[in-house]
Amino acid sequence: MLFGGTMPTFMAGRRPLSPGNRAGIGAALVLLAVVSAVESTEPGVDYVGLLAAVPFLAAVFAVWQLVLGTGVVATMVGAVFVGLAGPNVGMAGLVNLMGIVLATGVAAAGATIRQRQAEKIAELLRLAAVAQQAVLRPIGPQVGALAVAGRYISATAAADIGGDLYEALNTPYGVRIIIGDVRGKGLDAVRLASIVLGSYRHVAYERADLKSIVQDLDRAVARSVGDEDFVTAALVEERGGTLTIVNCGHPAPLLLRRGQVIPLEPPAPAPPLGFMPEVKARVERLEPGDRLLLFTDGLGEARRDGEFFPTADRAWRLLGHGTVGDGLASLETALVDWVHGRLEDDIALVLLEYAGPDGGAAVSVPSWEVGAAGS
């Protein structure tokens, strides 16, 4: 993580201290000042030994170089008090000074280990972010006749990585969108999500209908997972104002139209990818201004005190105004506030808006879509 804020430096070319370093040095200097003040009021070496805590306090946040520096300062201050106390302190003063020196070495070593571990964690988080970006490429803001925005909300504060997936493509058969959720979490889920998206990015341009795409994706999942692994998915196609949806065990998309929120449930349920789903398409005629929300089940499972987030009740108020990107930002803010910042599962969101025909000749409805709702 990179932290904001700067601090003046005394030497040109030096980087400003990070807040962590400043906090470590500040806490150490406060303790140093307190011990020095107490020791000054009561001459002797009764409190000099407490200076050994100064480098340890700095080591909690600061890098080893600064820890070593604070330890040297603490040792020098301790030596001054021992010298002022005179020969009466004898061995006690020497033991106190040796204790400060030993504490400085141990604290610097601890800070070195902590710093290396922090660097490894930062590198892992960076790699996780790169992996996630490779899986979830940016989509929108315009794909064909649709304004599109995507958003990934991670339940893990440390890393935006998981098995939720989405993609939007402008193909010869219309705009095609997929949203899905891999069973499980972590790198295995990311691997399977990348397999599904890789297959989809190929077959979406090759297959004339969504049912064929589902069959291809099902085979790709079956070749790559165990018996208990699967991927829920919803596939959407917009062509000439006609919306076609096939659903493989996934939450139904929500159609936002003139203040109403309409769940687009499939004509018949179908199992997830990996279980040979036999899908039936749902076909809707879009109207200019219609919006469609695609989401993974993390949204439906978000709750506080046992009460689920009222997605359908609040969808129009949150998503029906501004740009599609603004709508998703509003939904995320309301959702995080609802759960007090504690999500149980990752959430992928895609919001579409149909602006209407592009001023040219109407695009014919593909023949395979005719009657698909009842097939």
Side-chain angles (χ1 to χ4, degrees):
M1 288 289 271
L2 297 178
F3 297 93
T6 60
M7 184 176 180
T9 54
F10 296 100
M11 297 181 65
R14 292 286 184 88
R15 291 183 178 180
L17 296 178
S18 70
N21 286 328
R22 290 200 299 267
I25 295 176
L29 292 179
V30 168
L31 178 59
L32 183 63
V34 170
V35 174
S36 299
V38 173
E39 188 67 32
S40 298
T41 58
E42 299 182 21
V45 292
D46 296 336
Y47 303 101
V48 169
L50 294 177
L51 294 176
V54 170
F56 282 115
L57 195 56
V60 176
F61 301 105
V63 296
W64 70 268
Q65 296 94 332
L66 296 176
V67 173
L68 190 61
T70 57
V72 170
V73 172
T75 303
M76 294 173 61
V77 172
V80 170
F81 283 119
V82 171
L84 292 176
N88 295 330
V89 297
M91 186 60 67
L94 182 60
V95 169
N96 283 333
L97 288 178
M98 293 302 297
I100 300 172
V101 172
L102 180 61
T104 299
V106 174
T112 301
I113 296 173
R114 177 187 53 77
Q115 187 175 350
R116 289 177 179 174
Q117 291 177 338
E119 290 172 353
K120 289 181 180 179
I121 293 173
E123 179 66 13
L124 290 175
L125 294 180
R126 188 187 68 82
L127 292 175
V130 171
Q132 190 74 7
Q133 291 170 5
V135 173
L136 295 182
R137 302 184 305 196
I139 60 174
Q142 191 74 27
V143 183
L146 300 176
V148 182
R151 207 169 187 91
Y152 192 97
I153 307 173
S154 175
T156 305
D160 293 334
I161 189 166
D164 291 15
L165 59 97
Y166 55 75
E167 181 62 287
L169 303 171
N170 193 5
T171 76
Y173 305 100
V175 177
R176 287 177 164 176
I177 299 128
I178 185 174
I179 190 165
D181 189 359
V182 176
R183 180 181 180 272
K185 297 180 180 180
L187 292 178
D188 288 340
V190 174
R191 179 187 63 83
L192 183 52
S194 67
I195 291 172
V196 173
L197 285 175
S199 299
Y200 175 76
R201 287 162 181 160
H202 172 71
V203 299
Y205 289 94
E206 304 294 331
R207 300 291 182 257
D209 63 272
L210 295 181
K211 294 180 182 179
S212 297
I213 294 177
V214 168
Q215 294 172 358
D216 290 333
L217 296 180
D218 178 68
R219 287 192 290 268
V221 171
R223 288 193 297 266
S224 307
V225 301
D227 295 336
E228 297 182 358
D229 295 324
F230 57 84
V231 180
T232 68
L235 286 78
V236 175
E237 178 184 283
E238 183 278 325
R239 182 170 181 175
T242 296
L243 185 72
T244 306
I245 304 171
V246 295
N247 197 312
C248 304
H250 199 77
L254 299 179
L255 175 64
L256 284 71
R257 172 179 291 169
R258 298 193 300 271
Q260 295 182 326
V261 179
I262 307 167
L264 299 183
E265 300 286 351
L273 299 174
F275 293 127
M276 295 182 292
E278 291 291 335
V279 296
K280 291 188 177 182
R282 174 163 182 165
V283 178
E284 297 284 337
R285 192 66 186 174
L286 291 174
E287 300 177 3
D290 280 354
R291 291 190 173 188
L292 186 72
L293 176 66
L294 309 174
F295 57 94
T296 54
D297 59 6
L299 179 61
E301 295 172 357
R303 59 184 178 271
R304 68 177 181 195
D305 301 327
E307 185 178 359
F308 291 96
F309 181 74
T311 303
D313 294 339
R314 302 180 65 177
W316 177 258
R317 183 172 48 179
L318 295 170
L319 303 171
H321 308 282
T323 67
V324 288
D326 294 337
L328 289 186
S330 297
L331 177 58
E332 179 179 0
T333 300
L335 179 65
V336 172
D337 179 68
W338 178 271
V339 299
H340 303 302
R342 300 179 62 182
L343 291 169
E344 297 182 2
D345 195 7
D346 295 351
I347 302 172
L349 303 169
V350 177
L351 185 61
L352 322 171
E353 181 177 7
Y354 176 65
D358 195 19
V363 180
S364 59
V365 177
S367 59
W368 63 268
E369 286 183 342
V370 176
S375 63

